Amino acid sequence: MKLEIDNILINDIRLSDETKIEKGVLYVNPAELRAQLLEDPHIRDVAIDIARPGESVRIIPVKDVIEPRVKIEGPGGVFPGMVSKVTTVGSGITRVLKGAAVVTAGRVAGFQEGIIDMAGVGAAYTPFSQTCNLVLDFSPAEGLSAHEYERSLRMAGLKAAAALGEAGKDAEPDEVVVYESLDLMEGAKQFPDLPRVGYVLMLQSQGLLHDTYVYGVDMKQSLTTLLHPTEAMDGAIVSGNCVSACDKNTTYHHQNNPVIQDLFEAHGKTLNFAAMILTNENVYLADKERSSDWAAKLAEYLALDGLIITQEGFGNPDTDLVMNCRKIEATGIPTVLITNEYAGRDGTSQSLADADPAADAVISAGNANQLVTLPKMDKIIGSQAYVDRLAGGFADNVLADGSIVVELQAVTGSTNELGFGCLSAR
């Protein structure tokens, strides 16, 4: 599959009477967008705001972050199975509003979501302090279940990103990047002397609002399978998670998976990026055994020489991570794991809930229990009233000067287990 990504560099977002792009500025018609989003009867209201890099703004609580895109050429459309009809994506031309993001906010599942600070200490811990964010702060209709509201909020964010992406149809891209993955036989012939390296992407799928969707299907309903890397880059995977913000893979993370991008960068130079395996993180032991068995079986069947494995979440998913590692290593294929740590606030606790001697090559994305003091912001988008109820928050964590103390797990993307960030640990 060959995918061309056309990046239109966005350096500002402004509200206007017309949605368009001019000289790097994304102009958004808020009335038009609001009317589209309120077609869902589950959404009572939505406030539209903008948060720019360097502004004294806090967005809380954050549900998802999505990059606006539009399909210019080739099969399928954006977010297949969700916004567009189910068609295999990953080829053709996709135009990206690079530097812009749609951020969904609003009460979800007891506020177990995250914080994005656009300035100050907290800005250094989240990549979304560097994007121009169109923030959608939703209010649900009365009487909705958590699952009903999560679905409406998820779909609203995807629809908004698709609507904004349409503004890029007639704009000239500032840069063009091409990615290509050949079929297995051709790929093996192309670089016979390079090691065949694969990637196991573990997706959160524990249920109870811990879900990820592939072509519109909840991943917990799927067996471990194969995916072209360019399919992931082209919107086939979207987040439906309400989990700790630090290591949650938002939809933006899936659209811009740095492991995939780095493997493509090394492809044909130091390695042959041969395959991508998609697996889940279910709750029951039998499901974990089945999924990890299949991951090891596929890795061996593909005759890989090495694998990178990334997980999402912590605790229960640590067992899936270690199972995948142990079983794949038993086939003779070495693995490298990317994860974060929950090592206690002093860094001395056991980092993972599971371990095995086979896991001897691990990259850390930082300690999610580390405390950080976030200064008072001049503007709050959303509500800070329940900051003590965030994962990583605690009672009396708002100080007299208006600053708040939280663990890093409350900051969106701070210890992302794809390595999409700046933290590590030794």
Side-chain angles (χ1 to χ4, degrees):
M1 280 189 169
K2 186 175 182 179
L3 177 66
E4 178 182 309
I5 296 290
D6 292 356
N7 289 322
I8 303 169
L9 304 183
I10 303 297
N11 54 53
D12 194 9
I13 299 178
R14 299 175 192 171
L15 301 182
S16 175
D17 57 1
E18 182 183 0
T19 298
K20 61 183 179 179
I21 297 171
E22 285 185 357
K23 297 180 180 179
V25 178
L26 172 61
Y27 294 90
V28 178
N29 182 327
E32 185 178 79
L33 180 60
R34 189 171 182 274
Q36 182 179 354
L37 298 176
L38 291 179
E39 291 175 358
D40 185 342
H42 291 162
I43 296 174
R44 176 170 54 86
D45 198 8
V46 57
I48 299 176
D49 213 330
I50 298 170
R52 303 176 179 87
E55 293 181 338
S56 182
V57 175
R58 172 166 298 141
I59 312 169
I60 178 174
V62 173
K63 168 69 169 74
D64 198 9
V65 184
I66 312 113
E67 187 171 63
R69 296 182 170 195
V70 63
K71 198 74 181 175
I72 298 297
E73 183 181 299
V78 293
F79 312 119
M82 305 292 277
V83 173
S84 303
K85 68 178 183 179
V86 179
T87 305
T88 300
V89 295
S91 61
I93 301 174
T94 296
R95 195 154 291 166
V96 178
L97 276 56
K98 185 61 65 178
V102 171
V103 177
T104 53
R107 183 173 180 175
V108 179
F111 280 84
Q112 193 186 12
E113 286 297 325
I115 300 169
I116 295 174
D117 277 3
M118 301 303 294
V121 173
Y125 291 105
T126 175
F128 305 117
S129 64
Q130 302 305 307
T131 50
C132 297
N133 300 317
L134 187 81
V135 186
L136 307 175
D137 183 12
F138 291 94
S139 300
E142 297 295 329
L144 289 185
S145 71
H147 285 85
E148 288 173 323
Y149 182 45
E150 186 283 320
R151 183 186 184 281
S152 289
L153 198 57
R154 168 170 29 102
M155 291 302 299
L158 298 175
K159 289 176 181 176
L164 298 187
E166 290 287 324
K169 271 190 172 180
D170 299 321
E172 286 296 320
D174 295 290
E175 59 184 22
V176 175
V177 187
V178 177
Y179 302 92
E180 185 173 15
S181 57
L182 301 177
D183 65 48
L184 293 175
M185 293 297 292
E186 288 301 315
K189 293 176 184 177
Q190 187 180 33
F191 303 111
D193 299 324
L194 294 178
R196 292 170 51 79
V197 175
Y199 174 33
V200 174
L201 173 60
M202 296 171 53
L203 299 179
Q204 179 63 257
S205 54
Q206 292 176 273
L208 297 175
L209 304 178
H210 293 39
D211 301 298
T212 306
Y213 296 84
V214 181
Y215 284 101
V217 175
D218 191 330
M219 190 58 191
K220 67 173 172 282
Q221 300 172 359
S222 174
L223 290 168
T224 300
T225 187
L226 297 175
L227 197 75
H228 274 284
T230 53
E231 291 179 81
M233 303 175 86
D234 207 18
I237 306 173
V238 304
S239 173
N241 293 343
C242 301
V243 293
S244 293
C246 63
D247 51 24
K248 163 181 173 168
N249 291 334
T250 67
T251 299
Y252 190 104
H253 286 105
H254 289 302
Q255 294 171 298
N256 297 278
N257 186 315
V259 177
I260 295 175
Q261 292 180 352
D262 286 355
L263 285 171
F264 268 125
E265 178 64 27
H267 179 65
K269 301 172 185 175
T270 58
L271 56 85
N272 182 349
F273 185 12
M276 179 173 166
I277 298 171
L278 211 61
T279 191
N280 49 29
E281 301 172 354
N282 285 346
V283 175
Y284 294 110
L285 182 59
D287 293 325
K288 295 177 183 294
E289 293 285 10
R290 182 184 302 109
S291 295
S292 54
D293 282 349
W294 277 59
K297 176 178 67 175
L298 287 174
E300 187 174 28
Y301 180 72
L302 295 167
L304 298 175
D305 297 309
L307 266 170
I308 296 172
I309 307 175
T310 63
Q311 76 161 331
E312 182 176 10
F314 69 100
N316 190 296
D318 292 348
T319 300
D320 302 85
L321 177 71
V322 172
M323 276 187 175
N324 283 317
C325 169
R326 174 170 50 81
K327 292 178 182 180
I328 292 169
E329 290 265 352
T331 70
I333 302 172
T335 63
V336 174
L337 314 184
I338 305 177
T339 183
N340 63 355
E341 305 180 50
Y342 284 77
R345 293 175 182 177
D346 61 357
T348 61
S349 298
Q350 179 174 317
S351 295
L352 299 176
D354 202 353
D356 190 276
D360 58 1
V362 181
I363 297 172
S364 168
N367 177 18
N369 293 135
Q370 178 185 330
L371 285 174
V372 59
T373 301
L374 306 178
K376 181 180 179 181
M377 293 285 117
D378 294 338
K379 179 179 178 180
I380 303 294
I381 301 178
S383 173
Q384 194 171 286
Y386 297 90
V387 68
D388 58 329
R389 293 175 58 187
L390 295 173
F394 45 89
D396 302 320
N397 65 336
V398 180
L399 305 184
D401 63 358
S403 60
I404 59 175
V405 181
V406 292
E407 293 184 350
L408 277 182
Q409 62 174 310
V411 179
T412 300
S414 59
T415 63
N416 181 263
E417 293 165 294
L418 301 175
F420 196 117
C422 60
L423 292 184
S424 189
R426 291 187 294 177

